[in-house]
Amino acid sequence: RWQHQQMQDLKMHLPLNEVICVHDYSENYTCQDQDQSQSSYYGQTQVSIHVTILHRHAISGVDGTQSTLSDPHIVTEHLFAISDDLQHDHQSVHNCRKLVANYLKSIGCQVDVMHEWTDGCSAQYKSRHCMGDVSYSMEDFSFRTIRNYFETSHAKGPQDGAGANLKHKADMEVIRRNVRIQSAKDLYEFAMANLQEPAPTTYQASSVKLARRVFFYIDKLDPRQSGRRFKEIKGNRAIHSIMSGDQGCELSVRRLSCY
């Protein structure tokens, strides 16, 4: 409850030049045909979907209004990284973070601090290598990162619904024989053609106010920096908030988030 309350407080009082990202992997999408042979059931292709719920201040050139200190306007976007790579590890997460940073740069969003919220999955967000990647945020992206971890089994939220909605829309179009999706590239092209604009606001909950969906296709992962291997962090399971410093391999830690 404390972690969720801190996240709500941050969203209500988000400083200028700071953004919030809620990261999570959706369950892999299984490609299938409406008319498929029985044997193909055992050879179905799967697609990896990484979901990011982005909260940022409005930019006049993109959103039609400019957020200011006296008149803040928070914009919510759903970002999807679609890939054939099914290894959900710290390397794939680092590539997804790079896509988000490049997107923010492309729309002219100045970022001084990135607030990330994730679950406590060791392989993806909370291992020694995951934390090590966070410590290099200033070097990699030119902004500091504060990563907050929800308690185990308590990270459900819009990120789950966003991934489920994408897969449901794709399945419905396959059932209607309007599209054939057999790879990550097919799913990406379907999403780009049909799902960038959200449903009319009359069908959205007042707490959602989704501005747009943004899709990325990862053809192949960038090669891993060979020198980045980190030593074990004792007691990291009890840590629920970390903050990068100005130098790599430096982290400040909290047992709980505090905003």
Side-chain angles (χ1 to χ4, degrees):
R1 288 197 299 268
W2 175 265
Q3 292 294 94
H4 279 281
Q5 182 61 51
Q6 294 304 300
M7 181 179 176
Q8 295 305 317
D9 290 346
L10 174 62
K11 289 170 60 177
M12 292 177 61
H13 307 97
L14 184 64
L16 291 176
N17 297 337
E18 299 189 12
V19 299
I20 302 172
C21 286
V22 185
H23 298 299
D24 195 15
Y25 271 101
S26 182
E27 184 177 347
N28 291 341
Y29 176 75
T30 301
C31 301
Q32 54 188 343
D33 280 326
Q34 171 66 349
D35 303 302
Q36 66 180 7
S37 62
Q38 181 178 359
S39 60
S40 65
Y41 175 84
Y42 298 99
Q44 292 172 326
T45 302
Q46 291 195 329
V47 177
S48 173
I49 303 173
H50 185 273
V51 182
T52 297
I53 308 298
L54 174 67
H55 304 284
R56 60 172 176 81
H57 284 275
I59 303 170
S60 58
V62 180
D63 309 298
T65 184
Q66 185 68 39
S67 184
T68 63
L69 189 61
S70 58
D71 187 22
H73 294 275
I74 303 299
V75 173
T76 299
E77 297 172 314
H78 291 177
L79 280 59
F80 301 84
I82 301 173
S83 172
D84 287 313
D85 180 68
L86 304 181
Q87 192 170 356
H88 298 170
D89 59 6
H90 66 97
Q91 179 180 349
S92 62
V93 170
H94 184 75
N95 278 273
C96 293
R97 294 174 66 221
K98 186 183 297 184
L99 290 173
V100 174
N102 291 339
Y103 170 72
L104 291 169
K105 185 177 181 180
S106 70
I107 63 174
C109 181
Q110 174 63 35
V111 181
D112 295 332
V113 179
M114 169 78 74
H115 302 272
E116 294 185 348
W117 293 80
T118 75
D119 58 30
C121 178
S122 294
Q124 299 164 7
Y125 304 110
K126 210 175 184 181
S127 72
R128 52 181 174 164
H129 300 303
C130 303
M131 292 184 171
D133 284 339
V134 171
S135 73
Y136 275 90
S137 292
M138 184 62 74
E139 179 180 322
D140 292 339
F141 311 121
S142 300
F143 54 71
R144 289 192 301 118
T145 297
I146 300 176
R147 178 176 290 179
N148 304 276
Y149 298 100
F150 292 114
E151 187 54 270
T152 303
S153 302
H154 287 75
K156 299 300 179 184
Q159 63 274 20
D160 298 285
N165 179 64
L166 168 61
K167 292 181 289 186
H168 174 71
K169 293 290 178 60
D171 280 338
M172 289 298 100
E173 292 304 302
V174 169
I175 290 173
R176 298 184 183 113
R177 296 184 174 87
N178 292 332
V179 66
R180 189 167 185 265
I181 300 176
Q182 290 296 303
S183 66
K185 188 67 177 293
D186 291 342
L187 180 61
Y188 167 76
E189 291 175 349
F190 163 76
M192 288 291 290
N194 299 279
L195 299 178
Q196 293 188 78
E197 296 297 325
T201 54
T202 52
Y203 296 101
Q204 291 191 33
S206 58
S207 60
V208 177
K209 298 179 181 177
L210 176 62
R212 65 188 59 83
R213 300 185 185 94
V214 182
F215 298 94
F216 307 104
Y217 172 62
I218 303 178
D219 188 14
K220 60 180 180 179
L221 291 177
D222 292 340
R224 187 64 180 159
Q225 294 91 337
S226 59
R228 285 199 190 172
R229 304 296 296 178
F230 302 96
K231 294 182 179 179
E232 180 183 354
I233 301 175
K234 294 184 179 180
N236 67 327
R237 299 302 300 168
I239 297 172
H240 285 81
S241 182
I242 59 177
M243 180 174 67
S244 64
D246 294 332
Q247 304 293 328
C249 285
E250 290 183 0
L251 281 177
S252 301
V253 302
R254 286 183 186 271
R255 291 186 65 83
L256 291 174
S257 301
C258 184
Y259 285 98

